[in-house]
Amino acid sequence: MRYRPLLKTSQWSDLVAIPSDEEGLIRHFTLSGEDIDRVLARRGENNQLGFAVQLCLMRYPGRALGPTETPPSAMLGFVAQQLELDPGVFDDYARRDETRRDHAKEIQQYLGLHSAERDDRRAALFAAATTADATDDGMLIAEAMIQALRDRSALLSSTDTIDRIGRAGRSIARRRANAALLDGLATEQLAAFDNLLVLDSVIGQTRFGWLRETAEAPGSANLLALIERLNFVRSLKIDASRRGRIHPDRWRQLVREGDVTPSWLAADFNAGRRRATIIAQLIALSETLTDAAVTMFNKLIGRLFARALSMRARRHAGSARETAQALRLFRDTLRALSLANETDTDMFDTLNATVGWHKLMRAKPTVEAMVVEAEPEPLQLAAERHATVRKYAPQFLDTFVFTSSRRYDSLLAAIDFLRELNRSGKRTLPGKFPLAHLSEKDRKLILTSEKPDRRIYEIATLSVLRERLRSGDIAVEGSSEFRPFDEHLMSKPAFAEKRDSENLNLGVPASADAWLREMQQLVDFKLKQLAYRVRNGKLEDVKLVEGELIVSPLRSDVPAAADNLKWEINHLLPRIRITDLLAEVNSWTDFSSCFTHLRTREQVRSTPAILSAILADATNLGAKRMAEASADVSERQIVWSRLFHIRSETYRAAQAAITDAQTLHSHARLWGTGTTSSSDGQFFRASDRASSRSDSNRHYGSEPGGKFYSHLSDQYGYYSILPISAGESEAPYVLDGLLDHETILEIDEHFVDTGGASDHVFGLFALIGKRFAPRLRNLKSRSFHTIDKPDNYPLLKKHIGQQINTALIRECWDELLRMGVSMSERVVAPSTILKKLAASKRPSQLARALREIGRIERTLFMIEWYSNPALRRRCQAGLNKGEAAHKLKRAVYFHERGEIRDRSLDSQSFRASGLNLVVSAIIHWNTVYLAKAADHLKIQGRDIPDGLLRHVSPLTWEHINLTGIYSWASDALRPGDFRPLRQADMSFQRVA
């Protein structure tokens, strides 16, 4: 079988290349006085220069000069200049090969070097295997081997030899990892693993495939299916601690390989690799299935109460006629009583004469029934679906072990009580049972009747369990997502070490007192300054009306001539097919090289196949339909590329390649500096296949769907996209994209709409040292929060809210800093923190402290919003770019009417990433040709100021053919060539 080299020939050449840049020449090839003396002792200028060159090469990169090798002219000239020789004399060096070899021996002795021997090669092998314990990356392994040889003062062997040693080391590391995972397992267990790849007639597929096919739509049957799979995994009795036997990176690699390996392919692996892959999958599946089951339970209970509220609303709507009749009767009664009072007559006689006592008595039963049923508690309505909950609740409680952050937690006692009740088969509650975990209102509902209501008690307990699971107050053994909140953060010893070394790199000082002093002075001055300016009419478009600050709407600052210029330039852009556009952008940025093979890290062999897979994601076509619509690529090629080359990290790297090119392009600087950005969610409806796992949001109508939440720089460079539920708040995800991307962007200020703003988000932005600038609706209804007494600002008293709790901030300061460091160093995603802090109805001390910090930051931001019209315009412009880009995304994501059809979140993530990548390619291609179109007009004598040109955005797509037959066989442009611009439309010119 043909082996795959550790590195390509070009990569080896780069790794042991002779430096030719100024820094490399100075660093590695500067001769000392002793060197020069030894060199000049040679006879003949050619031998002197040749000796010096060999001396330099043995020092770096650490190898001998080849028999017919001529060094780069830059290196040769640098060495010759030090010796005051002509570089051309090197051509006469070593006409006798013995001279070169004699010089080499002498130089080795002088430098204390030797040719690589058996022990040196063993050391290189050890270095390769040690590095490969963590990674399969050939470059890292090669660098480790070269360093090992240099450390032993051994000259580098040939690249073929080092490559062979590296492959052997990587093979040893893989076998060692496999053996570590398998060590100590019984023969019966190993046989059970092999049987997972055998077709099971009961389920009609292999158990290995069955375990990984899980439905994500919330439902009792799907939850029970998850629990069934989890119990099957547990029955195999794999100790999860085995993962600690190998390097964490090697572990993640094994899991990723197993994720994309179908049963038929795993069966072809050798025994060690096959069984190790299965073990890694089983351990990972135990955690994944646990998370999925608990998440589904939370969704089911959440939907239970959402339906209860909906049911209550429908009941109100159904009794609208009776309610109207009762209200009219009540109105007539009030009028009669008012008349009797005004005329000083008997109220009863007047009421009887105008309304009729008999009429009131006839309405009494109806009104009493309406009062009783007017506001049924959601818990009561949810309890009406108790039978549905009983389909999965007993199994759910029996399957998982829950732990609490509180001592003697009543909720855990209630869970144990329900388990015993379920096992015994009793349907009624005994005289005593745990109630301390429930609210006073819930207790009254349970104890209202003669016998305690079992249904309400069970539903109420499950509801409290859901709330505390989401907040991190209750943890689940064996779960990654539902761990104790503290375990999501950086460890306390690691944080203490960073704090003591003053290496926190946050936007706030290590001392709470220092920060609060600064904030107290700043908030006090800014509020007084705001009051002074508004009193004296010094604020632009802001006035004080009856004690309330009113901001006038922004006026457009886009010149009328910008629209004509936009159409004129857009008519010059060349027409192009989307396939050719992607191929051209790839030739400029080489983004396809980022899609490396999962195991070998090799680049994709078929560029059209990977581009087709990306386009299949972006257009929502999918692999099968993309292959049917493609002239040059088969479905097998697309599927293979998706399996082994497309991952979240490769998509992110490719996205960074395009965004970086956009950031560095001179024309993009017209639109911004690359230091500000915005983020927004875009809703896509879900089709029948995905609607069962999707949520509804009244803001987008009654149909279920999902949102793609993306981040866009002020230069139109996308750098992040995340699929999120339509029902989720966008606020938790604002910081995810900002902190977790691979581009060169350094964002200092970030804009969002109201949906992405909360006091917690303001607080986190303050901790990491970035500026948060949301466009807030109903600004006048939002309060300023002061550290000093609110009475100090009488003119703004209608806007002053609660005073800041500084004592709480001081108490939680260290934990707040640990949370900030954990986010900035990517230990935990900000969304994980924000969702847990916001989940509980009774916020933790940490959540309340973060809110207090956020209130201070929001107060300062609101003051500047009122005071600075430039901020308002900047925020509006940033958000407008993101909203305009949604239209381009909608145009690209056209297939299946632009609906989300993927049930799994991973598949939706690939769709979102592909969409972002293709849209980014379109934007960058447009940017390049917008610049050329603008230059063309300027050459013709047109005066186009940058202030006007910056209003022409790269979000147009009318010149791009997004549909049809996708062909990748067209002739590519030569490097440096560009398509000719279109001829200007004369009719358009006459109108313009």
Side-chain angles (χ1 to χ4, degrees):
M1 184 180 72
R2 178 182 175 274
Y3 71 86
R4 291 192 180 95
L6 191 70
L7 295 177
K8 293 182 178 179
T9 303
S10 59
Q11 291 175 302
W12 276 119
S13 298
D14 293 341
L15 195 59
V16 296
I18 301 172
S20 58
D21 60 294
E22 181 178 281
E23 181 180 347
L25 293 172
I26 295 172
R27 180 186 302 276
H28 299 295
F29 301 145
T30 299
L31 299 172
S32 67
E34 185 180 357
D35 294 339
I36 294 175
D37 289 341
R38 188 169 289 268
V39 167
L40 296 179
R42 307 301 106 193
R43 284 187 299 179
E45 293 183 350
N46 59 334
N47 286 334
Q48 290 172 354
L49 184 55
F51 188 92
V53 166
Q54 284 219 67
L55 174 63
C56 291
L57 290 182
M58 286 191 185
R59 278 207 176 115
Y60 189 87
R63 61 178 179 81
L65 179 71
T68 59
E69 181 180 5
T70 300
S73 58
M75 183 263 190
L76 203 57
F78 182 79
V79 175
Q81 185 181 35
Q82 297 177 72
L83 300 173
E84 298 181 355
L85 297 175
D86 178 5
V89 301
F90 183 82
D91 295 338
D92 296 327
Y93 175 62
R95 289 180 176 176
R96 294 177 63 251
D97 195 46
E98 291 180 5
T99 302
R100 181 186 60 81
R101 290 200 301 268
D102 290 343
H103 285 179
K105 291 178 183 177
E106 184 177 346
I107 293 169
Q108 288 182 36
Q109 187 176 4
Y110 169 58
L111 297 178
L113 300 174
H114 62 275
S115 299
E117 299 171 348
R118 183 175 183 181
D119 288 344
D120 300 314
R121 289 190 288 272
R122 283 181 176 175
L125 178 63
F126 179 79
T130 303
T131 304
D133 281 337
T135 181
D136 282 336
D137 192 312
M139 183 60 71
L140 295 178
I141 295 172
E143 288 172 349
M145 288 189 293
I146 289 173
Q147 190 58 48
L149 291 171
R150 287 173 179 164
D151 290 344
R152 293 177 61 85
S153 299
L155 293 175
L156 300 184
S157 302
S158 68
T159 54
D160 287 343
T161 300
I162 300 177
D163 191 278
R164 188 168 61 253
I165 295 171
R167 284 185 281 110
R170 187 166 61 183
S171 178
I172 289 171
R174 288 171 175 171
R175 291 198 302 270
R176 192 158 58 192
N178 295 343
L181 288 175
L182 296 171
D183 185 45
L185 291 174
T187 306
E188 300 78 25
Q189 285 180 290
L190 297 177
F193 297 153
D194 292 336
N195 288 335
L196 295 179
L197 301 177
V198 177
L199 181 66
D200 190 324
S201 58
V202 176
I203 60 175
Q205 60 179 328
T206 67
R207 287 285 174 177
F208 190 65
W210 172 76
L211 284 172
R212 298 180 298 174
E213 289 182 1
T214 57
E216 295 192 12
S220 56
N222 288 341
L223 178 54
L224 292 176
L226 287 172
I227 292 174
E228 180 187 5
R229 286 167 170 78
L230 179 59
N231 287 331
F232 181 86
V233 171
R234 289 177 177 177
S235 70
L236 296 173
K237 298 179 180 179
I238 302 297
D239 185 0
S241 65
R242 284 181 176 270
R243 64 189 297 175
R245 297 180 177 184
I246 63 177
H247 194 282
D249 291 338
R250 171 60 64 181
W251 168 260
R252 283 189 286 270
Q253 174 72 8
L254 267 174
V255 172
R256 284 197 296 262
E257 287 180 17
D259 287 341
V260 301
T261 302
S263 299
W264 61 266
L265 185 57
D268 286 341
F269 293 166
N270 62 60
R273 181 183 175 188
R274 179 177 68 247
R275 292 165 177 171
T277 300
I278 292 173
I279 287 178
Q281 279 291 287
L282 292 175
I283 294 175
L285 274 170
S286 178
E287 195 172 90
T288 301
L289 292 170
T290 297
D291 288 344
V294 177
T295 298
M296 190 174 291
F297 166 80
N298 288 342
K299 287 185 176 181
L300 287 172
I301 299 298
R303 289 191 177 185
L304 178 69
F305 279 84
R307 287 170 179 162
L309 291 171
S310 197
M311 188 187 305
R312 185 168 70 176
R314 287 197 301 273
R315 289 184 181 181
H316 280 306
S319 61
R321 183 178 178 184
E322 292 81 0
T323 302
Q325 291 175 346
L327 286 173
R328 284 195 294 269
L329 188 60
F330 181 59
R331 179 199 61 191
D332 295 342
T333 301
L334 286 176
R335 288 176 176 175
L337 293 175
S338 178
L339 178 63
N341 184 56
E342 292 172 359
T343 58
D344 199 23
T345 57
D346 184 75
M347 290 188 178
F348 181 79
D349 291 340
T350 305
L351 183 63
N352 191 37
T354 56
V355 178
W357 183 253
H358 65 284
K359 190 174 182 180
L360 286 172
M361 291 299 99
R362 197 165 55 243
K364 179 182 176 183
T366 302
V367 172
E368 287 180 342
M370 289 174 62
V371 170
V372 171
E373 298 181 2
E375 287 294 334
E377 290 295 329
L379 179 57
Q380 290 174 296
L381 296 175
E384 293 179 7
R385 300 182 64 85
H386 180 257
T388 301
V389 175
R390 290 284 301 170
K391 292 179 180 178
Y392 60 82
Q395 292 92 325
F396 178 79
L397 295 180
D398 273 343
T399 300
F400 300 104
V401 177
F402 304 98
T403 59
S404 173
S405 58
R406 308 175 189 175
R407 295 183 64 187
Y408 312 115
D409 196 325
S410 175
L411 176 59
L412 296 186
I415 292 172
D416 289 338
F417 169 73
L418 285 176
R419 286 179 181 137
E420 289 301 320
L421 212 60
N422 292 330
R423 290 166 186 162
S424 66
K426 295 181 180 178
R427 297 186 178 183
T428 58
L429 296 173
K432 291 184 178 182
F433 52 91
L435 279 169
H437 62 290
L438 300 176
S439 66
E440 189 63 33
K441 184 192 294 185
D442 292 349
R443 294 180 204 176
K444 287 181 180 179
L445 289 175
I446 294 166
L447 301 174
T448 296
S449 56
E450 294 182 4
K451 292 183 179 180
D453 194 315
R454 158 76 184 272
R455 298 179 312 150
I456 295 179
Y457 177 78
E458 188 164 358
I459 298 297
T461 299
L462 294 176
S463 175
V464 174
L465 175 60
R466 170 185 179 266
E467 175 192 325
R468 292 182 59 188
L469 281 168
R470 293 174 68 233
S471 68
D473 198 25
I474 291 289
V476 181
E477 286 189 7
S479 170
S480 172
E481 183 177 350
F482 299 96
R483 293 177 288 162
F485 180 81
D486 189 69
E487 291 185 12
H488 287 279
L489 305 180
M490 175 182 287
S491 68
K492 290 183 178 180
F495 166 72
E497 182 179 347
K498 293 186 75 68
R499 182 192 56 203
D500 294 343
S501 62
E502 300 181 356
N503 189 30
L504 295 180
N505 295 321
L506 295 177
V508 295
S511 166
D513 289 331
W515 185 78
L516 285 171
R517 279 195 303 271
E518 180 186 352
M519 291 299 105
Q520 181 179 11
Q521 295 172 4
L522 190 58
V523 171
D524 178 63
F525 172 75
K526 291 290 186 180
L527 283 173
K528 289 177 179 176
Q529 185 185 53
L530 179 67
Y532 166 77
R533 287 178 172 177
V534 74
R535 184 191 300 117
N536 292 279
K538 294 187 174 184
L539 296 181
E540 184 180 329
D541 295 331
V542 178
K543 55 186 177 180
L544 192 67
V545 180
E546 297 180 354
E548 290 187 351
L549 293 166
I550 306 295
V551 182
S552 301
L554 286 171
R555 295 179 294 274
S556 174
D557 62 347
V558 179
D563 196 51
N564 287 334
L565 179 63
K566 177 186 74 173
W567 286 106
E568 185 176 4
I569 287 183
N570 285 343
H571 275 71
L572 294 174
L573 298 182
R575 296 193 182 280
I576 189 171
R577 295 181 304 175
I578 186 62
T579 50
D580 294 332
L581 186 148
L582 287 177
E584 286 184 22
V585 173
N586 184 50
S587 71
W588 302 338
T589 65
D590 196 27
F591 69 82
S592 66
S593 66
C594 299
F595 292 94
T596 55
H597 191 278
L598 174 62
R599 182 172 174 85
T600 65
R601 295 296 188 272
E602 286 186 347
Q603 295 178 12
V604 66
R605 294 180 180 177
S606 171
T607 301
I610 198 67
L611 294 181
S612 295
I614 294 166
L615 193 58
D617 280 338
T619 58
N620 204 21
L621 270 171
K624 182 177 180 180
R625 290 188 178 90
M626 176 55 71
E628 291 171 353
S630 296
D632 321 299
V633 181
S634 68
E635 181 183 358
R636 184 178 183 279
Q637 287 177 299
I638 297 174
V639 170
W640 191 265
S641 295
R642 292 194 66 180
L643 275 177
F644 291 100
H645 291 272
I646 289 185
R647 308 181 294 282
S648 59
E649 62 266 28
T650 55
Y651 254 136
R652 280 161 31 118
Q655 180 67 58
I658 298 178
T659 300
D660 289 350
Q662 177 73 5
T663 302
L664 296 172
H665 197 278
S666 58
H667 193 80
R669 294 173 193 154
L670 293 174
W671 299 311
T673 59
T675 58
T676 69
S677 65
S678 64
S679 59
D680 192 23
Q682 184 174 12
F683 178 79
F684 292 92
R685 290 188 305 116
S687 69
D688 295 337
R689 288 180 292 180
S691 59
S692 57
R693 75 165 302 278
S694 302
D695 297 321
S696 299
N697 187 323
R698 284 180 294 179
H699 179 72
Y700 304 107
S702 59
E703 293 182 312
K707 286 190 288 187
F708 289 168
Y709 191 72
S710 52
H711 290 66
L712 180 72
S713 79
D714 54 8
Q715 297 174 322
Y716 294 97
Y718 275 108
Y719 60 91
S720 173
I721 191 166
L722 298 166
I724 64 175
S725 167
E728 281 190 287
S729 167
E730 295 177 1
Y733 297 95
V734 172
L735 271 164
D736 278 15
L738 204 63
L739 294 179
D740 192 15
H741 64 91
E742 307 297 335
T743 73
I744 60 174
L745 289 168
E746 292 289 342
I747 303 299
D748 298 323
E749 184 177 45
H750 189 70
F751 310 116
V752 298
D753 217 331
T754 303
S758 73
D759 286 343
H760 283 160
V761 177
F762 268 106
L764 290 183
F765 265 84
L767 289 178
I768 66 172
K770 293 187 182 294
R771 179 177 171 78
F772 186 46
R775 180 178 60 189
L776 298 173
R777 286 192 301 268
N778 303 320
L779 189 65
K780 64 181 181 181
S781 65
R782 297 176 185 268
S783 299
F784 298 126
H785 297 274
T786 65
I787 299 176
D788 291 323
K789 293 180 179 180
D791 296 341
N792 293 352
Y793 318 97
L795 190 67
L796 303 172
K797 62 181 180 181
K798 284 194 175 182
H799 289 274
I800 302 296
Q802 294 178 344
Q803 192 171 356
I804 297 295
N805 186 347
T806 56
L808 181 61
I809 293 175
R810 288 188 180 93
E811 179 184 345
C812 299
W813 190 251
D814 272 359
E815 281 302 289
L816 290 166
L817 295 180
R818 183 160 77 104
M819 189 165 61
V821 173
S822 299
M823 289 188 310
S824 62
E825 299 203 359
R826 302 185 183 184
V827 175
V828 61
S831 59
T832 299
I833 289 177
L834 286 168
K835 285 191 287 187
K836 290 187 179 297
L837 292 181
S840 178
K841 295 178 181 177
R842 292 180 290 180
S844 64
Q845 292 282 87
L846 187 62
R848 289 169 51 220
L850 182 62
R851 183 187 62 190
E852 294 297 293
I853 292 177
R855 284 177 168 178
I856 293 174
E857 292 295 323
R858 177 170 53 79
T859 295
L860 291 171
F861 168 74
M862 288 171 57
I863 293 171
E864 185 171 1
W865 185 271
Y866 285 119
S867 305
N868 188 354
L871 170 62
R872 301 197 292 270
R873 292 192 185 95
R874 198 164 65 243
C875 180
Q876 184 70 42
L879 291 173
N880 285 347
K881 289 178 181 179
E883 290 165 0
H886 287 343
K887 297 177 183 178
L888 175 55
K889 284 188 174 179
R890 185 75 65 182
V892 172
Y893 198 69
F894 64 86
H895 190 68
E896 302 286 6
R897 298 170 296 172
E899 294 178 343
I900 295 175
R901 297 220 160 195
D902 298 285
R903 297 180 185 178
S904 88
L905 195 61
D906 284 343
S907 295
Q908 289 185 18
S909 178
F910 286 157
R911 288 281 193 264
S913 297
L915 178 60
N916 231 28
L917 192 69
V918 170
V919 167
S920 295
I922 291 173
I923 289 172
H924 185 55
W925 192 92
N926 284 344
T927 299
V928 171
Y929 279 93
L930 284 175
K932 295 194 173 300
D935 290 343
H936 171 73
L937 293 178
K938 290 176 182 178
I939 290 172
Q940 291 183 334
R942 293 285 297 279
D943 179 21
I944 306 177
D946 288 348
L948 192 63
L949 192 56
R950 71 184 181 89
H951 293 291
V952 181
S953 85
L955 298 176
T956 182
W957 68 90
E958 290 82 0
H959 56 292
I960 303 172
N961 184 4
L962 296 170
T963 61
I965 299 297
Y966 296 107
S967 174
W968 306 94
S970 59
D971 294 334
L973 295 175
R974 292 180 300 177
D977 286 354
F978 293 93
R979 294 173 181 269
L981 298 174
R982 280 189 284 168
Q983 295 296 315
D985 189 330
M986 300 308 294
S987 63
F988 172 80
Q989 285 187 331
R990 286 195 296 272
V991 172

